[in-house]
Amino acid sequence: MLLWHGRPGDPEAQYGSVEVAGHGYAPCVTSRRELLASGWTREHEVVSGRDIAAALYPDHWGLWLNPHAVGGGLGIPWLDLRRIAGGLDRLPAGPLRITEPSVRADGFYTELVALAERTRALRSLRRAWVQPAVGPAYLVIGLDVAEPDERSAEAVRGMMRQAIAAVPEGLPVGTVAMADGYDPVAMWLRANARPFYDRDAPAAHDPGSLRQHGYGYPRPR
């Protein structure tokens, strides 16, 4: 049950709010019994978990369960609400540990660069190594597409289907759209990773020069 200031559906109505460590959460209770225990006398609304997750996470709001309970209840960050809304089987469990990849996959990267050069819809490629809280780690390729339309998306999907043949055996690979403003891997890539292919960069046309000059590759120690 979501707790409201004002009547749900009214233009001026707002969720209740809890701020923890600088992050906003909407308080809720998990049953009528908990509602009575909370002492909340204003409006409330019964909402399914997936519906409230889909409503809150786009504004980077989490959900705080039973804040009146002993110990202060339990907070669900907005990134976890995104998983609930999108499907727990589709999105990796957080918190994610994201780093630069150290796995050797030079043949795959070279093939990707060659295919990217022929895929006009693609602007750049980035990469990261992702360790979910549950499940095996995997390599992620960040795809920066020029136009967010279906034709461009299909061209990039076709490029990845061809490139997968060059992936080293046993190496799991995923992709993420760089334009996704809510994906934690895409956010990390935008903040921390230089492209290993960039259509607008002179070095991007020569996979060998990428390795030699460190464009997206660690420099030799």
Side-chain angles (χ1 to χ4, degrees), residues 55-80:
L56 289 176
Y57 92 79
D59 293 325
H60 292 189
W61 274 74
L63 189 66
W64 202 277
L65 309 179
N66 301 326
H68 62 281
V70 176
L74 176 67
I76 305 175
W78 71 266
L79 283 170
D80 288 331

mmCIF file of all heavy atoms in Angstrom, residues 55-80:
data_model
loop_
_atom_site.group_PDB
_atom_site.id
_atom_site.type_symbol
_atom_site.label_atom_id
_atom_site.label_comp_id
_atom_site.label_asym_id
_atom_site.label_seq_id
_atom_site.Cartn_x
_atom_site.Cartn_y
_atom_site.Cartn_z
ATOM 1 N N ALA A 55 6.418 2.882 -11.964
ATOM 2 C CA ALA A 55 6.086 4.297 -11.779
ATOM 3 C C ALA A 55 7.214 5.070 -11.107
ATOM 4 O O ALA A 55 7.423 6.254 -11.399
ATOM 5 C CB ALA A 55 4.805 4.422 -10.949
ATOM 6 N N LEU A 56 7.969 4.417 -10.221
ATOM 7 C CA LEU A 56 8.957 5.131 -9.415
ATOM 8 C C LEU A 56 10.340 5.215 -10.046
ATOM 9 O O LEU A 56 11.001 6.254 -9.982
ATOM 10 C CB LEU A 56 9.076 4.466 -8.037
ATOM 11 C CG LEU A 56 7.898 4.631 -7.077
ATOM 12 C CD1 LEU A 56 8.150 3.820 -5.807
ATOM 13 C CD2 LEU A 56 7.669 6.092 -6.728
ATOM 14 N N TYR A 57 10.817 4.121 -10.651
ATOM 15 C CA TYR A 57 12.232 4.111 -11.031
ATOM 16 C C TYR A 57 12.608 5.150 -12.087
ATOM 17 O O TYR A 57 13.738 5.667 -12.059
ATOM 18 C CB TYR A 57 12.682 2.703 -11.446
ATOM 19 C CG TYR A 57 12.567 2.388 -12.916
ATOM 20 C CD1 TYR A 57 13.520 2.850 -13.828
ATOM 21 C CD2 TYR A 57 11.518 1.614 -13.416
ATOM 22 C CE1 TYR A 57 13.420 2.560 -15.181
ATOM 23 C CE2 TYR A 57 11.418 1.324 -14.757
ATOM 24 C CZ TYR A 57 12.366 1.800 -15.633
ATOM 25 O OH TYR A 57 12.264 1.522 -16.969
ATOM 26 N N PRO A 58 11.707 5.525 -13.037
ATOM 27 C CA PRO A 58 12.138 6.539 -14.019
ATOM 28 C C PRO A 58 12.521 7.879 -13.393
ATOM 29 O O PRO A 58 13.303 8.634 -13.978
ATOM 30 C CB PRO A 58 10.917 6.680 -14.939
ATOM 31 C CG PRO A 58 10.225 5.361 -14.838
ATOM 32 C CD PRO A 58 10.388 4.970 -13.399
ATOM 33 N N ASP A 59 11.988 8.183 -12.213
ATOM 34 C CA ASP A 59 12.358 9.412 -11.506
ATOM 35 C C ASP A 59 13.448 9.166 -10.467
ATOM 36 O O ASP A 59 13.710 10.021 -9.616
ATOM 37 C CB ASP A 59 11.129 10.015 -10.818
ATOM 38 C CG ASP A 59 10.110 10.525 -11.821
ATOM 39 O OD1 ASP A 59 10.528 11.031 -12.880
ATOM 40 O OD2 ASP A 59 8.903 10.409 -11.553
ATOM 41 N N HIS A 60 14.084 7.991 -10.539
ATOM 42 C CA HIS A 60 15.157 7.617 -9.610
ATOM 43 C C HIS A 60 14.669 7.614 -8.164
ATOM 44 O O HIS A 60 15.405 7.990 -7.248
ATOM 45 C CB HIS A 60 16.374 8.543 -9.772
ATOM 46 C CG HIS A 60 17.083 8.363 -11.078
ATOM 47 N ND1 HIS A 60 18.295 8.951 -11.360
ATOM 48 C CD2 HIS A 60 16.759 7.661 -12.198
ATOM 49 C CE1 HIS A 60 18.682 8.626 -12.582
ATOM 50 N NE2 HIS A 60 17.763 7.844 -13.112
ATOM 51 N N TRP A 61 13.441 7.161 -7.973
ATOM 52 C CA TRP A 61 12.893 6.991 -6.632
ATOM 53 C C TRP A 61 12.848 5.515 -6.286
ATOM 54 O O TRP A 61 12.481 4.680 -7.113
ATOM 55 C CB TRP A 61 11.472 7.570 -6.546
ATOM 56 C CG TRP A 61 11.485 9.031 -6.230
ATOM 57 C CD1 TRP A 61 11.819 10.050 -7.074
ATOM 58 C CD2 TRP A 61 11.168 9.645 -4.977
ATOM 59 N NE1 TRP A 61 11.736 11.254 -6.427
ATOM 60 C CE2 TRP A 61 11.331 11.042 -5.138
ATOM 61 C CE3 TRP A 61 10.754 9.148 -3.741
ATOM 62 C CZ2 TRP A 61 11.103 11.944 -4.103
ATOM 63 C CZ3 TRP A 61 10.519 10.048 -2.710
ATOM 64 C CH2 TRP A 61 10.701 11.429 -2.894
ATOM 65 N N GLY A 62 13.228 5.209 -5.047
ATOM 66 C CA GLY A 62 13.112 3.859 -4.545
ATOM 67 C C GLY A 62 11.826 3.686 -3.755
ATOM 68 O O GLY A 62 10.985 4.584 -3.675
ATOM 69 N N LEU A 63 11.681 2.522 -3.153
ATOM 70 C CA LEU A 63 10.493 2.186 -2.360
ATOM 71 C C LEU A 63 10.959 1.745 -0.981
ATOM 72 O O LEU A 63 11.874 0.931 -0.867
ATOM 73 C CB LEU A 63 9.722 1.059 -3.048
ATOM 74 C CG LEU A 63 8.343 0.702 -2.495
ATOM 75 C CD1 LEU A 63 7.366 1.855 -2.691
ATOM 76 C CD2 LEU A 63 7.810 -0.559 -3.173
ATOM 77 N N TRP A 64 10.338 2.317 0.062
ATOM 78 C CA TRP A 64 10.726 1.955 1.427
ATOM 79 C C TRP A 64 9.568 1.217 2.090
ATOM 80 O O TRP A 64 8.488 1.764 2.260
ATOM 81 C CB TRP A 64 11.094 3.193 2.242
ATOM 82 C CG TRP A 64 11.984 2.820 3.404
ATOM 83 C CD1 TRP A 64 11.591 2.341 4.612
ATOM 84 C CD2 TRP A 64 13.409 2.856 3.423
ATOM 85 N NE1 TRP A 64 12.683 2.071 5.400
ATOM 86 C CE2 TRP A 64 13.815 2.383 4.699
ATOM 87 C CE3 TRP A 64 14.382 3.239 2.507
ATOM 88 C CZ2 TRP A 64 15.155 2.294 5.064
ATOM 89 C CZ3 TRP A 64 15.713 3.148 2.876
ATOM 90 C CH2 TRP A 64 16.089 2.678 4.141
ATOM 91 N N LEU A 65 9.823 -0.045 2.440
ATOM 92 C CA LEU A 65 8.784 -0.902 3.002
ATOM 93 C C LEU A 65 8.715 -0.749 4.518
ATOM 94 O O LEU A 65 9.735 -0.849 5.208
ATOM 95 C CB LEU A 65 9.067 -2.370 2.661
ATOM 96 C CG LEU A 65 9.343 -2.714 1.192
ATOM 97 C CD1 LEU A 65 9.616 -4.202 1.046
ATOM 98 C CD2 LEU A 65 8.188 -2.286 0.309
ATOM 99 N N ASN A 66 7.510 -0.497 5.011
ATOM 100 C CA ASN A 66 7.235 -0.474 6.452
ATOM 101 C C ASN A 66 8.241 0.367 7.239
ATOM 102 O O ASN A 66 8.949 -0.141 8.123
ATOM 103 C CB ASN A 66 7.206 -1.907 7.002
ATOM 104 C CG ASN A 66 6.149 -2.763 6.335
ATOM 105 O OD1 ASN A 66 5.082 -2.276 5.969
ATOM 106 N ND2 ASN A 66 6.443 -4.043 6.167
ATOM 107 N N PRO A 67 8.330 1.667 6.948
ATOM 108 C CA PRO A 67 9.312 2.501 7.654
ATOM 109 C C PRO A 67 9.054 2.618 9.151
ATOM 110 O O PRO A 67 9.958 3.004 9.901
ATOM 111 C CB PRO A 67 9.176 3.867 6.962
ATOM 112 C CG PRO A 67 7.839 3.849 6.315
ATOM 113 C CD PRO A 67 7.574 2.431 5.942
ATOM 114 N N HIS A 68 7.849 2.269 9.600
ATOM 115 C CA HIS A 68 7.511 2.333 11.024
ATOM 116 C C HIS A 68 8.036 1.127 11.797
ATOM 117 O O HIS A 68 8.050 1.130 13.030
ATOM 118 C CB HIS A 68 5.983 2.364 11.178
ATOM 119 C CG HIS A 68 5.335 1.129 10.635
ATOM 120 N ND1 HIS A 68 5.124 0.948 9.287
ATOM 121 C CD2 HIS A 68 4.907 -0.015 11.242
ATOM 122 C CE1 HIS A 68 4.569 -0.242 9.087
ATOM 123 N NE2 HIS A 68 4.426 -0.846 10.258
ATOM 124 N N ALA A 69 8.459 0.083 11.098
ATOM 125 C CA ALA A 69 8.826 -1.172 11.755
ATOM 126 C C ALA A 69 10.095 -1.016 12.584
ATOM 127 O O ALA A 69 10.896 -0.091 12.379
ATOM 128 C CB ALA A 69 9.021 -2.266 10.705
ATOM 129 N N VAL A 70 10.278 -1.934 13.507
ATOM 130 C CA VAL A 70 11.504 -1.956 14.307
ATOM 131 C C VAL A 70 12.704 -2.081 13.367
ATOM 132 O O VAL A 70 12.725 -2.931 12.474
ATOM 133 C CB VAL A 70 11.482 -3.144 15.297
ATOM 134 C CG1 VAL A 70 12.804 -3.228 16.052
ATOM 135 C CG2 VAL A 70 10.315 -2.997 16.263
ATOM 136 N N GLY A 71 13.677 -1.223 13.539
ATOM 137 C CA GLY A 71 14.831 -1.215 12.647
ATOM 138 C C GLY A 71 14.669 -0.304 11.453
ATOM 139 O O GLY A 71 15.605 -0.130 10.678
ATOM 140 N N GLY A 72 13.470 0.272 11.279
ATOM 141 C CA GLY A 72 13.282 1.261 10.220
ATOM 142 C C GLY A 72 12.781 0.732 8.900
ATOM 143 O O GLY A 72 12.676 1.481 7.928
ATOM 144 N N GLY A 73 12.466 -0.560 8.817
ATOM 145 C CA GLY A 73 11.951 -1.096 7.565
ATOM 146 C C GLY A 73 13.058 -1.434 6.580
ATOM 147 O O GLY A 73 14.235 -1.540 6.932
ATOM 148 N N LEU A 74 12.677 -1.563 5.328
ATOM 149 C CA LEU A 74 13.607 -2.011 4.289
ATOM 150 C C LEU A 74 13.459 -1.144 3.051
ATOM 151 O O LEU A 74 12.349 -0.960 2.540
ATOM 152 C CB LEU A 74 13.322 -3.474 3.927
ATOM 153 C CG LEU A 74 14.143 -4.071 2.782
ATOM 154 C CD1 LEU A 74 15.614 -4.188 3.184
ATOM 155 C CD2 LEU A 74 13.591 -5.434 2.386
ATOM 156 N N GLY A 75 14.582 -0.623 2.548
ATOM 157 C CA GLY A 75 14.564 0.197 1.347
ATOM 158 C C GLY A 75 14.938 -0.600 0.107
ATOM 159 O O GLY A 75 15.843 -1.435 0.147
ATOM 160 N N ILE A 76 14.232 -0.351 -0.987
ATOM 161 C CA ILE A 76 14.538 -0.966 -2.281
ATOM 162 C C ILE A 76 14.977 0.152 -3.216
ATOM 163 O O ILE A 76 14.160 0.994 -3.601
ATOM 164 C CB ILE A 76 13.315 -1.699 -2.865
ATOM 165 C CG1 ILE A 76 12.776 -2.727 -1.867
ATOM 166 C CG2 ILE A 76 13.680 -2.373 -4.187
ATOM 167 C CD1 ILE A 76 11.496 -3.400 -2.332
ATOM 168 N N PRO A 77 16.250 0.218 -3.591
ATOM 169 C CA PRO A 77 16.725 1.302 -4.462
ATOM 170 C C PRO A 77 16.052 1.269 -5.832
ATOM 171 O O PRO A 77 15.550 0.230 -6.276
ATOM 172 C CB PRO A 77 18.229 1.029 -4.577
ATOM 173 C CG PRO A 77 18.561 0.141 -3.421
ATOM 174 C CD PRO A 77 17.336 -0.680 -3.181
ATOM 175 N N TRP A 78 16.099 2.405 -6.519
ATOM 176 C CA TRP A 78 15.412 2.494 -7.809
ATOM 177 C C TRP A 78 15.988 1.530 -8.840
ATOM 178 O O TRP A 78 15.253 1.040 -9.708
ATOM 179 C CB TRP A 78 15.422 3.932 -8.330
ATOM 180 C CG TRP A 78 16.744 4.465 -8.798
ATOM 181 C CD1 TRP A 78 17.642 5.180 -8.081
ATOM 182 C CD2 TRP A 78 17.302 4.343 -10.119
ATOM 183 N NE1 TRP A 78 18.733 5.506 -8.853
ATOM 184 C CE2 TRP A 78 18.547 5.016 -10.112
ATOM 185 C CE3 TRP A 78 16.874 3.741 -11.302
ATOM 186 C CZ2 TRP A 78 19.365 5.090 -11.237
ATOM 187 C CZ3 TRP A 78 17.692 3.816 -12.428
ATOM 188 C CH2 TRP A 78 18.911 4.486 -12.385
ATOM 189 N N LEU A 79 17.279 1.218 -8.741
ATOM 190 C CA LEU A 79 17.851 0.271 -9.695
ATOM 191 C C LEU A 79 17.233 -1.115 -9.538
ATOM 192 O O LEU A 79 17.035 -1.841 -10.520
ATOM 193 C CB LEU A 79 19.368 0.194 -9.519
ATOM 194 C CG LEU A 79 20.157 1.368 -10.102
ATOM 195 C CD1 LEU A 79 21.608 1.304 -9.656
ATOM 196 C CD2 LEU A 79 20.059 1.387 -11.625
ATOM 197 N N ASP A 80 16.919 -1.492 -8.304
ATOM 198 C CA ASP A 80 16.256 -2.780 -8.091
ATOM 199 C C ASP A 80 14.795 -2.719 -8.524
ATOM 200 O O ASP A 80 14.238 -3.716 -9.004
ATOM 201 C CB ASP A 80 16.364 -3.196 -6.627
ATOM 202 C CG ASP A 80 17.775 -3.634 -6.255
ATOM 203 O OD1 ASP A 80 18.490 -4.140 -7.137
ATOM 204 O OD2 ASP A 80 18.168 -3.459 -5.093
#
